[in-house]
């Protein structure tokens, strides 16, 4: 079922949680609502579910207006951040709840309910825990039960609020893959809320980046990462180093640091900030003709195939810069103690003095 | 789990002994005296007192008042707790403060207020008398009304903190799964609050049975008609019928002990359920 929200506004006591949100989610897609806390993503999810009423705007399922349709008739599957399992019921009874609430005519018989519950618990790999109570389950297990319960009525829309928020890193990664897999198995349009960029990037077909009640950008994970539509998106997706300095049309300068940049006239002379992603630079023992950015190594951490370095600028800028090198590059470099190194950016994002994103540039 | 230590110094033991002594002198001794006094002139006197018309009438009246009060306050308390914890509205805080009025106010004052409003000379009382020839005060309806007033906070006060800490998500989950509001209450809310609810009922009942101040004001103390057990005790004591007074008092004390036992069982049951859940986790 496709979901469309159209011009949604919602205020809580004068605070605009959502301001004119319009969004289209095609049938069968897995959409990630990504944003910092307070960006309105959970409110939007609750409005799609019918748990909140928008002040203005419409929600449409398959182009049918459901804005005024009561929650219980919307037939959406919803997974709460804290799972909200019925603590006085066993795992099996939790999953069966929706089936038992059906009106008498549509309610399946006792055996049919039992069979359906078994099938669902097998789907989420919890069939051995049917008799347990929620208090006896781990976070990841509760999550699976909550999902099985939400799927019991075969919803065509599945909504998940921070589905992995309360889990530890390893279980999180596992469940993420598993959810992606599950989504491909069953025909359902899923929307999930997250504040974790990595999670949104890995799981979704489409990412909706939100901030302060606005949509900043909608697109595939690759698009929003490679072609961020705004400074906020660039900032929010992954770590950045901000280099502040002055530009004279050919050279960017800050203290002892110099970079030769050709922006084809896109950036006016004057203050110019450059954003540098940690993985878009390398280090050398000597400056290049086009780049002179002296730095000193402050700290390093080795994890997996990459080495993350913290660098202190020498005679320019302020604050520590973060750069990621692969292990081999790092081993070849092998700098001495207190040795001055030179940062060589491969690609930079320009930010003009009025805060807009300028072109991407490569020093040459 | 417990952070308490066994006392091991002499002054710690002294403190414990002092606590026990205070409990015996202040609580246990009077209770023992009640039963001792009742049986002072033999079991026969107790039996004849128990079977006297006044006593049976008082027992019946007390039970009737409790039987009406408890269900009324059960429903009222659940509704109130539901409103205060499940809806966000202007005056919610005020409402939850107003619930406490019967706790804060002396029951005698409550009785007088009801007398002024609903009595024969009162605003509402006069109108009811004129229009429908109904008399509320100095009769069963008035006694029930003040008892309901005095005992109305108990259920709500037990439920509100519990329902607040439980939050609304499970009910939302039920409604998302297609449950009606009533189904969500019956299958999700009620099972989660049932022990607390029973506890509230036990407290309400104990208070309803033992209420003296407010009831004495509105009962008019008509012998054989509007005397509940606590009122009868007072009456018999003034008549120098010591055995009678103490027999009635013993009856009330016995009811209190049963209530206490019920309350302990309920608390034990709740905590052992919690412990069981925790143990299987570890």
């Amino acid at each position: 079922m496709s979901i469309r929200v159209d011009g949604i506004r919602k205020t809580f006591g004068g605070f605009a949680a959502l301001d004119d949100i319009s969004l289209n989610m095609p049938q069968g897609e897995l959409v990630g609502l990504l944003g910092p806390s307070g960006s309105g993503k959970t409110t939007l999810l609750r409005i799609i579910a019918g748990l909140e009423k928008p002040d203005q705007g419409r929600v449409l399922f398959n182009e049918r207006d459901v804005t005024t349709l009561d929650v219980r008739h919307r037939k959406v599957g919803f997974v709460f951040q804290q799972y909200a399992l019925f603590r006085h019921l066993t795992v099996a009874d939790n999953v069966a709840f929706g089936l038992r609430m059906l009106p008498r005519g549509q309610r399946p018989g006792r055996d049919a309910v039992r069979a359906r519950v078994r099938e669902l618990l097998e789907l989420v790999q919890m069939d051995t825990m049917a008799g347990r109570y929620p208090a006896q389950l781990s976070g990841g297990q509760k999550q699976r039960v909550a999902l099985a319960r939400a799927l019991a009525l075969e919803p065509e829309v599945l909504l998940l609020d921070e589905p992995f928020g309360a889990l530890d890193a390893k279980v999180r990664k596992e469940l993420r893959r598993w959810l992606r897999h599950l989504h491909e198995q069953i025909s359902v349009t899923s929307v999930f809320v997250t504040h974790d960029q990595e999670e949104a990037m890995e799981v979704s077909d489409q990412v909706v980046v939100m901030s302060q009640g606005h949509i900043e950008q909608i697109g595939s994970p690759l698009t929003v990462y490679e072609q961020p539509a705004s400074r906020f998106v660039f900032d929010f997706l992954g770590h950045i180093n901000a280099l502040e300095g002055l530009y004279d049309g050919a050279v960017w300068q800050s203290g002892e640091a110099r970079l030769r940049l050709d922006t084809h006239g896109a950036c006016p002379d004057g203050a110019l900030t450059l954003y540098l992603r940690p993985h878009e630079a390398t280090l050398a023992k000597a400056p290049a003709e086009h780049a002179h950015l002296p730095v000193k190594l402050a700290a390093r951490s080795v994890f997996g195939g990459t080495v993350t370095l913290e660098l202190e600028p020498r005679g320019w800028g302020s604050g520590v810069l973060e750069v990621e090198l692969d292990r081999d590059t790092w081993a070849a470099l092998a700098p001495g103690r207190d040795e001055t190194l030179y940062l060589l950016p491969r690609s930079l994002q320009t930010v003009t003095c009025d805060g807009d994103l300028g072109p991407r540039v490569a020093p040459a | 789990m417990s952070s308490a230590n066994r006392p091991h110094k002499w002054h710690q033991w002294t403190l414990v002994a002092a606590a026990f002594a205070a409990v015996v002198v202040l609580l246990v001794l009077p209770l023992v005296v009640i039963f001792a006094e009742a049986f002072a002139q033999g079991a026969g006197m107790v039996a004849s007192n128990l079977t006297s018309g006044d006593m049976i009438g008082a027992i019946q009246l007390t039970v009737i008042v409790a039987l009406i009060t408890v269900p009324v306050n059960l429903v009222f308390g659940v509704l109130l707790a539901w409103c205060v914890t499940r809806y966000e509205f202007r005056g919610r805080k005020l409402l939850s403060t107003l619930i406490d009025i019967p706790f804060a106010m002396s029951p005698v004052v409550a009785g007088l207020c009801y007398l002024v409003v609903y009595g024969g000379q009162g605003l509402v009382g006069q109108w009811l008398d004129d229009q429908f020839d109904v008399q509320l005060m100095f009769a069963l309806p008035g006694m029930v009304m003040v008892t309901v007033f005095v005992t109305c906070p108990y259920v709500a006060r037990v439920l509100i903190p519990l329902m607040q800490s439980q939050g609304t998500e499970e009910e939302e989950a039920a409604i998302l799964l297609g449950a009606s509001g009533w189904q969500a209450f019956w299958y999700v809310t009620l099972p989660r609050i049932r022990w607390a609810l029973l506890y509230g009922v036990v407290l309400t009942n104990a208070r309803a049975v033992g209420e003296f101040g407010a009831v004495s004001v509105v009962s008019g103390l008509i012998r054989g008609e509007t005397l509940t057990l606590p009122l009868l005790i007072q009456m018999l004591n003034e008549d120098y019928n010591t055995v009678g007074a103490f027999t009635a008092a013993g009856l009330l004390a016995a009811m209190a002990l049963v209530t206490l036992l019920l309350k302990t069982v309920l608390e034990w049951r709740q905590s052992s359920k919690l412990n069981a859940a925790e143990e299987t986790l570890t």
Side-chain angles (χ1 to χ4, degrees):
Chain A
M1 193 183 290
S2 70
I3 307 169
R4 190 153 75 86
V5 298
D6 182 23
I8 294 280
R9 264 176 225 279
K10 176 78 184 174
T11 52
F12 291 113
F15 166 74
L18 292 175
D19 192 9
D20 197 14
I21 297 283
S22 295
L23 195 55
N24 215 345
M25 300 172 229
Q27 148 74 28
E29 276 210 352
L30 181 48
V31 178
L33 300 180
L34 174 66
S37 59
S39 59
K41 53 196 193 307
T42 296
T43 307
L44 181 57
L45 195 78
R46 288 174 66 86
I47 284 175
I48 296 172
L51 290 170
E52 306 273 359
K53 295 266 166 284
D55 300 336
Q56 244 180 60
R58 300 181 303 159
V59 178
L60 302 103
F61 289 172
N62 270 350
E63 293 304 306
R64 188 170 73 98
D65 193 335
V66 295
T67 317
T68 54
L69 190 66
D70 194 66
V71 194
R72 57 183 296 232
H73 300 302
R74 278 201 201 187
K75 300 200 163 78
V76 298
F78 197 100
V79 177
F80 287 86
Q81 188 175 0
Q82 302 295 334
Y83 322 122
L85 294 176
F86 306 128
R87 62 196 94 177
H88 61 286
L89 298 179
T90 61
V91 166
D93 287 336
N94 260 283
V95 176
F97 190 87
L99 298 168
R100 295 198 174 127
M101 290 303 119
L102 285 170
R104 206 169 286 270
Q106 302 164 33
R107 203 183 306 157
R110 199 177 281 256
D111 292 333
V113 169
R114 204 173 299 147
R116 175 86 182 120
V117 167
R118 194 177 313 123
E119 185 189 323
L120 283 159
L121 288 179
E122 272 165 18
L123 181 72
V124 299
Q125 298 152 20
M126 286 290 292
D127 41 322
T128 55
M129 309 259 181
R132 295 225 184 162
Y133 284 91
Q136 300 165 309
L137 303 178
S138 72
Q141 291 170 334
K142 281 185 203 170
Q143 174 69 274
R144 288 160 195 259
V145 175
L147 211 55
R149 183 178 72 176
L151 293 174
L153 293 170
E154 295 176 350
E156 290 179 76
V157 170
L158 181 62
L159 306 173
L160 307 112
D161 187 8
E162 298 269 1
F164 315 107
L167 303 170
D168 61 71
K170 208 168 163 210
V171 181
R172 222 174 152 121
K173 212 152 197 168
E174 236 175 72
L175 263 179
R176 224 143 77 181
R177 302 230 165 92
W178 178 81
L179 176 72
R180 179 73 244 181
H181 183 68
L182 182 85
H183 178 81
E184 277 150 19
Q185 271 182 304
I186 53 178
S187 160
V188 63
T189 309
S190 310
V191 184
F192 78 103
V193 156
T194 182
H195 64 268
D196 185 326
Q197 309 91 329
E198 210 186 311
E199 200 165 286
M201 292 301 184
E202 186 180 324
V203 179
S204 1
D205 296 316
Q206 215 188 140
V207 179
V208 179
V209 186
M210 296 182 66
S211 96
Q212 298 179 345
H214 293 278
I215 292 179
E216 293 280 341
Q217 190 173 6
I218 306 171
S220 71
L222 197 67
T223 313
V224 293
Y225 189 75
E226 305 247 295
Q227 296 151 24
S230 68
R231 187 176 176 171
F232 174 85
V233 178
F234 197 95
D235 244 330
F236 192 65
L237 296 179
H239 186 83
I240 52 145
N241 300 296
L243 316 177
E244 281 163 18
L246 288 171
Y247 185 59
D248 65 1
V251 175
W252 175 91
Q253 204 159 1
S254 166
E256 292 192 8
R258 271 177 293 109
L259 266 177
R260 205 163 67 205
L261 296 176
D262 185 5
T263 62
H264 304 286
C267 297
D269 296 0
L272 179 67
T273 304
L274 303 171
Y275 278 178
L276 172 67
R277 294 240 191 246
H279 64 93
E280 289 182 331
T282 186
L283 281 172
K285 298 209 175 189
E289 196 196 332
H290 62 272
H292 181 267
L293 302 166
V295 293
K296 193 188 94 178
L297 183 64
R300 75 193 159 104
S301 77
V302 185
F303 188 76
T306 57
V307 181
T308 306
L309 306 171
E310 279 178 29
L311 305 168
E312 264 171 34
R314 277 201 156 158
W316 61 286
S318 61
V320 177
L321 306 173
E322 199 182 299
V323 168
E324 285 170 19
L325 298 181
D326 63 65
R327 262 184 134 141
D328 295 341
T329 314
W330 171 246
L333 195 65
R337 233 180 128 78
D338 272 340
E339 190 179 341
T340 299
L341 298 168
Y342 295 88
L343 191 64
L344 302 174
R346 277 191 296 269
S347 171
L348 292 153
Q349 172 68 52
T350 55
V351 181
T352 54
C353 51
D354 47 14
D356 291 334
L357 287 185
R360 280 195 146 255
V361 290
Chain B
M1 261 195 51
S2 160
S3 60
N5 299 316
R6 272 180 71 85
H8 55 274
K9 295 212 177 76
W10 66 270
H11 62 263
Q12 290 171 334
W13 281 113
T14 316
L15 216 57
V16 172
F20 263 109
V23 168
V24 168
V25 172
L26 295 174
L27 302 175
V28 180
L29 213 58
L31 208 60
V32 173
V33 170
I34 289 174
F35 290 102
E37 284 289 327
F39 285 93
Q41 293 173 34
M45 278 297 277
V46 173
S48 76
N49 265 298
L50 273 179
T51 49
S52 78
D54 281 357
M55 186 74 82
I56 288 174
I59 293 171
Q60 278 173 346
L61 191 61
T62 306
V63 169
I64 290 170
V65 168
L67 276 180
I68 301 173
T69 302
V70 170
V72 167
N73 275 335
L74 173 76
V75 174
F76 172 76
V78 171
L79 270 177
L80 207 65
W82 182 273
C83 285
V84 168
T85 59
R86 294 299 182 257
Y87 300 119
E88 186 62 53
F89 54 91
R90 206 178 273 265
R92 195 174 64 98
K93 286 247 164 63
L94 182 70
L95 187 62
S96 97
T97 310
L98 288 179
I99 301 171
D100 283 338
I101 287 180
F103 274 167
M105 203 199 274
S106 163
V108 179
V109 178
L112 276 173
C113 291
Y114 269 73
L115 205 55
V116 167
V117 178
Y118 298 104
Q121 311 300 312
L123 228 67
V124 182
Q126 213 160 24
W127 179 78
L128 281 173
D129 202 10
D130 291 348
Q131 300 289 318
F132 306 101
D133 197 20
V134 169
Q135 196 195 344
L136 296 177
M137 293 298 120
F138 310 123
L140 181 67
M143 297 167 78
V144 170
M145 280 163 73
V146 292
T147 311
V148 166
F149 175 86
V150 168
T151 59
C152 77
Y154 288 93
V155 171
R157 272 286 156 241
V158 172
L159 291 186
I160 287 170
L162 180 73
M163 288 173 70
Q164 234 150 20
S165 74
Q166 286 179 339
T168 56
E169 276 198 348
E170 285 183 43
E171 281 132 20
E172 283 183 346
I175 287 169
L176 280 159
L177 289 167
S180 65
W182 173 250
Q183 281 175 319
F185 175 76
W186 190 255
Y187 292 110
V188 176
T189 313
L190 199 58
R192 293 162 69 204
I193 61 169
R194 63 184 158 194
W195 293 112
L197 193 59
L198 260 177
Y199 183 48
V201 163
V202 166
L203 287 179
T204 306
N205 184 56
R207 190 65 210 274
V209 168
E211 175 51 31
F212 176 82
V215 173
S216 81
V217 174
V218 300
S219 92
L221 304 176
I222 307 162
R223 208 163 199 152
E225 265 185 55
T226 63
L227 286 189
T228 57
L229 270 177
L231 299 180
L232 182 70
I233 294 170
Q234 160 90 347
M235 191 76 94
L236 291 172
N237 193 38
E238 279 170 358
D239 289 351
Y240 300 104
N241 181 350
T242 317
V243 174
F246 277 99
T247 306
L251 209 57
L252 264 187
M255 285 185 198
L257 287 176
V258 170
T259 306
L260 200 65
L261 193 73
L262 266 175
K263 172 178 162 284
T264 314
V265 169
L266 287 179
E267 280 175 346
W268 171 77
R269 192 151 177 165
Q270 187 132 17
S271 68
S272 70
K273 244 186 118 175
L274 276 178
N275 287 340
E278 270 167 20
E279 267 165 27
T280 46
L281 249 190
T282 49

